[in-house]
Amino acid sequence: MLDPVRPPLAALAIALLLVAQGAIASPDKPPHIVGSLDPNATLFVLPHTDDGDTLRVYRLTSGPHRELESLTVPGVPVNPTHAAAADNTLWLITPERTVRAITLEPLPGPIPRSRATVRPFNDLPPGTIPRALTLHNGQPYVLARIESQATLQGLHDKANPSPGPARSNRFASAPNADRLAQLKRNIALDLPLDYSPTSSTPPAQTSPGTQPATQPATQPAPPEPQPTTADRLLVLRPDGWHAVPLPSDWDHPKGAVRLLSQPSAEHPKLVLQTPTGWVLHEYRRDAWSARTVTLPDATPETLDTWAAQRVGGQTLLAWQTTPTQPDANPTVTLGVVRQDRVHPLGNLSVAEPHWSLTAAPDAAAVLSYQTPKTPGDSTEPSDQALLIQTLRLDNAAADPHDPIAPRADTPALQSVGFIILIVIMISVAAMLALFWRRPIDEQQPQLPDTLAVADLLRRALAGVIDLAPGFLLATFLFDTDPGTILAFWPGNTSVGHWEAIRPGILVVALTVLHTTVTETFTQRSLGKALLGLRVADLQGNPPKPAALIRRGLLKPFDLIAWLLLVVPIISPHRQRLAGLMSRTVVVATKPPPQDDTPNPNP
């Protein structure tokens, strides 16, 4: 008979598994893919998740073996609304209008890894709905729709300061009548885009002396004031957010808008979508200029998904075309803007519905992040990958790359350090069982009066000296530092790569080698010789070579499983595991006794 409790528990386990798999990436909302493929910059991937309270960011590593390093950033909402990146800094706008900058600092070591530092900045003003974000000359720019009259008035007051002490504001320090007039026009409170005045019927004309047949009991209430909404181009400066004048013909469109950084201009470029092309607004010489670029044989459906990017000093546009064949992948067309037209460069086949455009050395790159389509699909690393396709600007040659999978978080049972630690602990348990079976009289040292068991402080200093040659060689060969070697020590259960523990293995192997050789011939290692210590058997005599070799072969247990270093603390004769099993002890020469008998002939 089946246990009635098992089916509900099994159903609950399956449900939790499906939820956990679906929380990795949501197929309905696109991830943010921002940054650059330039060797001096970083590309970030922020997959959209349905659950969790810690932001996960994938960083594309550099070098011949590129992979996505997984980073968890606490204190930041999991799904930001907008993202932009420059160099090694990722800027985010959260759903609560907070602004965060995440800077990555690469850490030395055999495996590329980074440390994330989060910096908070001024929140966006209330009533702000971001539409586009970019980083221009190191400053974040946001094109936002403002739905708060107080915010609009505050931006207007900030741009038109009252007479008084000078403020740290570029509009105040360098007033320009045309610029202020243009900004004032954009600060004006505008009606909503879908606003249309209600038609009202004028009262019926009546002749004198006559009264209308019916008289309304009350006069109709006046129409309620319509809410105000307007676009603002905001820039973050040290003293907060400031409004930048928009073009004079900006009519607060509903269509998609992109901000495109252009280092040669004072402000970023505004790229506005139209049914047949785009309008590019550029800010030069304290004024906006606009030009319309058209597509050859453009149709509205070809502009459903599009992107803009500066590559090699040129403005590139990319748009997706719906395939005519049902089983064909959508095609992304890349084109360069020249005067008033977009000249196509080539096409790339993109299977994913969401993609991004970025710059690569002498090429444009179309990026997409492959995720499971449904929560029930497999979530193996091979099912999640960053897909990169580049198109060279000189000859329009397409270059697809192999998918780059995220570096999986290795579970403890698959961790190399965990496996090593388990093997060591099992071996230690077996050796201690053999030790406890020995007769008590065979475990007690019988040292002469001239020798004493060495104190733990001198032994610890000797151990540090013995480890120094291994650390010096490992730091030189692997171009790392002692702190990184300790972080990827072979006994660390969080290490899941053999490559990561190679420096630590070298330190352990070299330490065991040189201490075993010197102790076999001289009963002293380098550290013991400098501190006046030596190895002896339980009677104080030089041990046999077999016992010293056995002692040396057991040293990796103490070096890898640092928890075993508690053994000499609790042992009555300060013996490590290697000393217990080889029947040896570390001794020091006693100082000669001082004669306290008074001299009869002073």
Side-chain angles (χ1 to χ4, degrees):
M1 182 176 179
L2 295 177
D3 188 351
V5 180
R6 290 184 179 179
L9 291 179
L12 179 60
I14 295 175
L16 291 176
L17 179 61
L18 294 178
V19 170
Q21 291 180 344
I24 292 180
S26 173
D28 299 327
K29 297 183 180 180
H32 296 286
I33 308 177
V34 294
S36 174
L37 293 176
D38 187 270
N40 297 324
T42 300
L43 186 75
F44 299 87
V45 179
L46 289 77
H48 189 94
T49 60
D50 294 332
D51 193 12
D53 55 359
T54 300
L55 176 70
R56 169 162 290 187
V57 178
Y58 293 115
R59 178 188 76 97
L60 182 62
T61 61
S62 59
H65 304 288
R66 311 191 76 176
E67 59 180 352
L68 293 177
E69 175 195 4
S70 178
L71 297 167
T72 55
V73 185
V76 181
V78 291
N79 296 319
T81 59
H82 292 77
D87 298 331
N88 291 324
T89 301
L90 174 67
W91 289 79
L92 303 176
I93 298 179
T94 70
E96 293 79 15
R97 304 189 317 277
T98 59
V99 180
R100 297 289 185 267
I102 302 173
T103 302
L104 300 186
E105 300 176 2
L107 298 176
I111 294 180
R113 61 191 187 99
S114 304
R115 177 175 54 221
T117 303
V118 182
R119 292 179 297 163
F121 288 88
N122 297 72
D123 296 347
L124 287 172
T128 302
I129 302 176
R131 300 182 64 188
L133 168 68
T134 191
L135 296 176
H136 177 74
N137 295 332
Q139 292 179 306
Y141 278 77
V142 176
L143 179 66
R145 182 145 294 176
I146 310 295
E147 296 184 342
S148 169
Q149 184 174 359
T151 299
L152 291 169
Q153 187 62 40
L155 294 172
H156 178 265
D157 295 341
K158 213 172 189 180
N160 298 272
S162 58
R167 300 184 183 181
S168 58
N169 187 307
R170 61 181 302 274
F171 296 108
S173 60
N176 183 295
D178 294 338
R179 180 182 296 170
L180 290 177
Q182 190 180 25
L183 180 62
K184 185 176 181 181
R185 184 263 171 200
N186 282 283
I187 292 294
L189 302 182
D190 302 327
L191 292 176
L193 297 178
D194 54 356
Y195 169 75
S196 59
T198 56
S199 59
S200 58
T201 305
Q205 299 292 332
T206 57
S207 59
T210 62
Q211 299 293 335
T214 59
Q215 181 94 15
T218 58
Q219 296 295 331
E224 295 182 359
Q226 296 291 333
T228 58
T229 178
D231 285 344
R232 297 293 177 266
L233 182 58
L234 306 177
V235 57
L236 180 60
R237 296 199 174 98
D239 58 342
W241 289 95
H242 293 253
V244 175
L246 282 169
S248 57
D249 57 347
W250 190 265
D251 57 354
H252 314 281
K254 284 186 175 180
V257 182
R258 304 287 189 269
L259 293 178
L260 191 58
S261 178
Q262 190 171 359
S264 59
E266 184 177 356
H267 300 305
K269 182 183 298 185
L270 293 164
V271 185
L272 173 64
Q273 173 192 350
T274 65
T276 58
W278 294 272
V279 178
L280 277 63
H281 297 272
E282 299 183 35
Y283 192 90
R284 297 182 183 274
R285 299 178 181 178
D286 296 339
W288 287 97
S289 62
R291 56 173 171 158
T292 301
V293 295
T294 58
L295 284 171
D297 302 329
T299 56
E301 57 268 15
T302 61
L303 299 180
D304 288 342
T305 306
W306 63 278
Q309 189 60 254
R310 291 279 298 180
V311 181
Q314 304 182 73
T315 300
L316 262 67
L317 295 168
W319 61 96
Q320 194 169 38
T321 304
T322 304
T324 56
Q325 301 295 333
D327 55 347
N329 292 330
T331 300
V332 174
T333 304
L334 285 82
V336 60
V337 176
R338 292 174 181 166
Q339 295 182 354
D340 59 346
R341 290 182 63 83
V342 179
H343 296 267
L345 295 176
N347 300 327
L348 296 174
S349 178
V350 179
E352 296 297 318
H354 308 292
W355 49 272
S356 176
L357 180 66
T358 189
D362 301 325
V366 174
L367 312 169
S368 58
Y369 189 68
Q370 172 184 315
T371 58
K373 303 304 178 185
T374 61
D377 285 351
S378 174
T379 56
E380 295 296 328
S382 59
D383 296 329
Q384 302 183 58
L386 175 67
L387 307 178
I388 303 177
Q389 299 184 69
T390 57
L391 188 71
R392 295 188 58 85
L393 302 185
D394 50 2
N395 56 6
D399 182 17
H401 298 267
D402 294 332
I404 301 177
R407 182 192 301 162
D409 293 336
T410 307
L413 292 179
Q414 298 178 1
S415 171
V416 173
F418 187 86
I419 295 174
I420 293 176
L421 192 61
I422 287 295
V423 172
I424 288 178
M425 298 310 295
I426 293 176
S427 303
V428 168
M431 286 186 289
L432 290 179
L434 293 176
F435 174 76
W436 287 330
R437 297 183 62 181
R438 294 178 182 173
I440 299 297
D441 55 352
E442 296 182 5
Q443 305 174 13
Q444 300 295 328
Q446 303 293 331
L447 299 178
D449 296 337
T450 57
L451 297 177
V453 177
D455 60 277
L456 292 179
L457 179 59
R458 295 169 67 185
R459 293 187 60 186
L461 293 176
V464 172
I465 295 174
D466 291 337
L467 286 169
F471 273 96
L472 290 177
L473 183 61
T475 55
F476 175 75
L477 294 180
F478 294 96
D479 190 20
T480 183
D481 59 89
T484 303
I485 296 176
L486 292 176
F488 289 95
W489 197 251
N492 188 348
T493 58
S494 63
V495 177
H497 301 268
W498 285 106
E499 294 80 2
I501 65 175
R502 287 187 301 172
I505 290 178
L506 177 61
V507 174
V508 173
L510 186 60
T511 303
V512 171
L513 178 63
H514 80 80
T515 56
T516 302
V517 171
T518 55
E519 287 179 0
T520 301
F521 291 97
T522 65
Q523 294 83 49
R524 289 181 173 89
S525 64
L526 177 63
K528 292 182 178 66
L530 293 177
L531 294 176
L533 308 177
R534 71 177 180 89
V535 181
D537 61 12
L538 299 182
Q539 288 72 37
N541 302 317
K544 296 180 180 180
L548 292 172
I549 293 175
R550 189 184 314 117
R551 175 188 174 89
L553 295 178
L554 292 176
K555 283 185 178 180
F557 290 81
D558 296 315
L559 294 176
I560 294 177
W562 289 351
L563 186 61
L564 295 178
L565 294 179
V566 74
V567 174
I569 299 177
I570 63 177
S571 173
H573 306 293
R574 306 188 187 111
Q575 292 173 287
R576 295 186 295 108
L577 176 66
L580 294 175
M581 301 308 300
S582 62
R583 300 182 183 182
T584 58
V585 65
V586 178
V587 297
T589 303
K590 286 184 179 181
Q594 296 183 358
D595 189 6
D596 297 334
T597 304
N599 190 357
N601 299 315

